[in-house]
């Protein structure tokens, strides 16, 4: 089959304006019961049928009286009232009818004999009486049109006699996942399979934005089957979202099918990620073709799906929460596209710092971890480190402010500590950015992190971390919290199929290496071992292939794309790999001493010194916790 060519590279804002204009204004209303209307949008103003209360009602437990009968009452001149002629007992909410026009609280009367009471202060007219319409007056407006119905609104509507209400219909959104390689969650995962998850993200977003999702079973890359699925979805829904098949591959049929079944408005927008977006109409129904990569899919849906669903559901557009933050590292961008960069935010010393996350279009976890989005305009080549940038928030600022910003070396124990912290006190979080030990040292130096996990070996002294803190952070008041002793070694495939013995095997022609990134403590250790063994890095196959975490190195070996890597025992064990120990190292935490007074740092220390934490590490294997939590 012929490959697709992108027809367009349209500016994102222009594409959105064009799409919304061609999609039309579909605002349809329906009548529903008030009791089931939570979160719906009113299509018209609602006016009360009844007043509330619809009678004069006692506001207190006590007696109903005629105010004029009490005017002469005082402490020196008590007034005696007789039941029937002067008063009647009432409870809160009881009707107050003629001739009574006031209520005296039960605690302000004294029994003065059978059916008689004594009072020592006068009552004024309409005292402690809720008049007709005090809350709602018949025919007054309770809520306006285009109003999102809240629980309190439901109470007011029912009190005003309203049982049915006109609201905007929720647009029905058909979601079609496609791809021969995708399988449903729970099915056996074989080589080449991908678990389908994008459609479930779309389902949640459709509900969040006011629509009604209908997710279809995955459709393989078969032209006729895809055509039938598109026709069916267009007939049954108001909007259709088709996932994958929008790129330029020989089995990417979406653009051709939209053109055949209706009208292809555009194919390709100036966005990264998200370029191969498809916008069209089938039977006058808007169709959005989103790319298969999760982040690309999310970006395209957020641009076009969100705007269209909210418009048709009558949902008011809320002003986006945007804050300024200082960029922690340089970002280079192409002038070809508007780029959407996922950002991790942290508040350190009162300043917001923005750390870019993995920019890959397929990295779902970058969306999970992201606190905000940085949009780099198509006219910009990027931003320099230290520059102020505007971030669109995805999370509450309060959550960001109560998060420990940890930038430095990666280890599984950071995830464990984060979970235990949040379980003990859900106010606080721990955010880890994996940039290597030296990257963490520099982040502390720039004031961009609360702490840096590090494991940096000084070749001269054989001591970990302290010499690096003295060298690079000597002008700051830094504490070193002792972390764990962990076993570093050589990871190789299960059963050691290549017969690896030690670091010297890296020069073999049949060995493929996978490295850590520059600045990582493990990279420094590996280079030290190579130097000690007299091995030139240029002789090693795969030396330039870099991973940012121990688990990523382990995964590469487990998948068979690499034969050797240097990492910690816990990662090898987690991926069921063979492991040849090299030795122990100190994985510690550098932290400005002033931060030791923060409650969230105190909680972190409490967690890593807890028996629960130590027991967990013992079960994982490869860790020693003799001095954990000691502050140097």
């Amino acid at each position: 089959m012929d490959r697709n060519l992108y027809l367009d590279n349209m500016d994102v804002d222009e594409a959105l304006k064009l799409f919304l204009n061609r999609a039309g204004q579909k605002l349809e209303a329906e009548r529903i019961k008030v009791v089931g209307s939570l979160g719906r949008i009113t299509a018209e103003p609602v006016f009360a049928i009844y007043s509330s209360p619809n009678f004069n009602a006692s506001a207190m437990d006590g007696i109903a009286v005629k105010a004029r009968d009490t005017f002469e009452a005082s402490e020196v001149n008590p007034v005696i009232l007789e039941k029937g002629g002067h008063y009647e007992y009432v409870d809160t909410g009881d009707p107050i009818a003629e001739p009574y026009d006031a209520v005296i609280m039960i605690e302000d009367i004294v029994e003065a004999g059978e059916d008689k009471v004594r009072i020592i202060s006068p009552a004024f007219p309409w005292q402690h009486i809720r008049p007709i319409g005090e809350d709602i007056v018949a025919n007054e407006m309770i809520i306006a049109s285009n109003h999102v119905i809240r629980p309190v609104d439901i109470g007011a509507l029912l009190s005003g006699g309203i049982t049915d209400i006109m609201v905007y219909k929720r647009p029905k959104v058909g979601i079609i996942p496609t791809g021969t390689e995708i399988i449903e969650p729970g099915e056996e995962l074989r080589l080449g399979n991908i678990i389908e998850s994008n459609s479930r993200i779309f389902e949640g977003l459709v509900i969040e934005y006011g629509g009604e999702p209908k997710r279809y079973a995955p459709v393989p890359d078969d032209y006729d089957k895809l055509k039938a699925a598109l026709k069916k979805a267009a007939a049954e829904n108001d909007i259709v979202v088709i996932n994958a098949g929008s790129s330029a591959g020989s089995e990417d049929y979406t653009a051709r099918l939209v053109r055949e079944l209706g009208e292809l408005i555009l194919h390709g927008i100036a966005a990264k990620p998200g370029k191969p977006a498809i916008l069209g109409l089938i039977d006058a129904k808007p169709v959005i073709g989103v790319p298969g990569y999760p982040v690309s899919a999310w970006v395209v849906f957020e641009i076009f799906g969100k705007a269209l669903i909210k418009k048709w559901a009558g949902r008011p557009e809320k002003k986006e929460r945007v804050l300024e933050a200082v960029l922690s590292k340089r970002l280079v961008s192409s002038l070809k596209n508007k780029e959407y960069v996922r950002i991790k935010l942290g508040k350190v010393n009162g300043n917001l710092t923005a750390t870019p996350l993995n920019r890959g279009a397929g990295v779902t976890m970058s969306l999970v971890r992201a606190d905000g989005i940085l949009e780099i305009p198509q006219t910009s080549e990027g931003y320099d480190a230290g520059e102020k940038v505007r971030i669109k928030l995805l999370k509450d600022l309060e959550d960001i402010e109560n998060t420990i910003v940890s930038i430095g070396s990666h280890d599984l124990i950071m995830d464990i500590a984060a979970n235990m912290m949040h379980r003990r006190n859900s106010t606080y979080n721990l955010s880890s950015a994996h940039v290597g030990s030296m990257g963490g040292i520099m982040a502390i130096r720039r004031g961009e992190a609360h702490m840096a996990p590090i494991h940096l070996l000084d070749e001269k002294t054989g001591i970990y971390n302290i010499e690096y803190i003295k060298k690079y952070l000597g002008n700051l008041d830094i504490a070193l919290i002792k972390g764990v002793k962990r076993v570093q070694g050589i990871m190789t495939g299960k059963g050691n199929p290549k017969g690896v013995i030690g670091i010297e095997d890296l020069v073999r022609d049949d060995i493929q290496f996978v490295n850590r990134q520059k600045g990582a403590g493990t990279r420094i250790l590996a280079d030290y071992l190579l130097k000690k063994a007299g091995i030139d890095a240029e002789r090693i196959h795969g030396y330039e292939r870099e991973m940012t975490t121990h688990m990523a190195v382990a995964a590469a070996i487990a998948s068979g794309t690499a034969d050797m890597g240097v990492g910690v025992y816990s990662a090898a064990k987690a991926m069921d790999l063979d492991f040849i120990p090299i030795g122990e190292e100190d994985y510690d935490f550098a932290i400005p001493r002033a931060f030791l007074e923060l409650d969230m740092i105190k909680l972190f220390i409490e967690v890593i010194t807890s028996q629960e934490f130590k027991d967990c590490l013992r079960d994982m294997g490869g860790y020693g916790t003799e001095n954990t939590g000691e502050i140097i």
Side-chain angles (χ1 to χ4, degrees), residues 607-632:
V607 163
I608 65 171
T609 55
S610 69
Q611 192 60 47
E612 179 189 15
F613 182 76
K614 293 177 180 179
D615 290 345
C616 185
L617 267 58
R618 185 191 63 243
D619 293 341
M620 291 171 62
Y623 294 102
T625 57
E626 293 81 7
N627 301 311
T628 299
E630 179 185 340
I631 299 175
I632 300 174

Side-chain angles (χ1 to χ4, degrees), residues 149-193:
I149 299 175
R150 305 164 298 170
V152 291
D153 299 324
I154 292 175
L157 290 165
L158 295 175
S159 296
I162 308 298
T163 55
D164 300 309
I165 190 171
M166 291 295 290
V167 297
Y168 291 119
K169 283 185 177 180
R170 290 182 291 210
K172 294 180 180 179
V173 182
I175 302 167
I176 309 174
T178 75
T180 303
E181 73 282 8
I182 64 174
I183 61 172
E184 294 280 36
E187 293 183 0
E188 183 182 355
L189 184 64
R190 298 177 178 175
L191 183 65
N193 288 154

Side-chain angles (χ1 to χ4, degrees), residues 324-392:
E324 277 195 342
V326 176
L327 194 63
S328 65
K329 71 179 197 178
R330 189 183 182 203
L331 277 178
V332 178
S333 186
S334 168
L335 292 172
K336 294 180 181 179
N337 304 298
K338 182 178 184 178
E339 187 167 3
Y340 299 84
V341 182
R342 283 79 69 202
I343 294 292
K344 194 70 189 171
L345 290 170
K347 197 164 191 179
V348 184
N349 288 323
N351 300 313
L352 271 179
T353 299
T355 301
L357 294 168
N358 192 312
R359 294 161 83 177
V363 188
T364 307
M365 285 304 296
S366 68
L367 289 174
V368 174
R369 296 189 176 109
D371 298 317
I373 300 291
L374 168 61
E375 294 182 4
I376 304 178
Q378 191 176 353
T379 55
S380 171
E381 292 183 332
Y383 300 104
D384 288 325
E387 192 171 346
K388 283 190 174 181
V389 292
R390 291 172 61 80
I391 307 295
K392 291 183 179 179

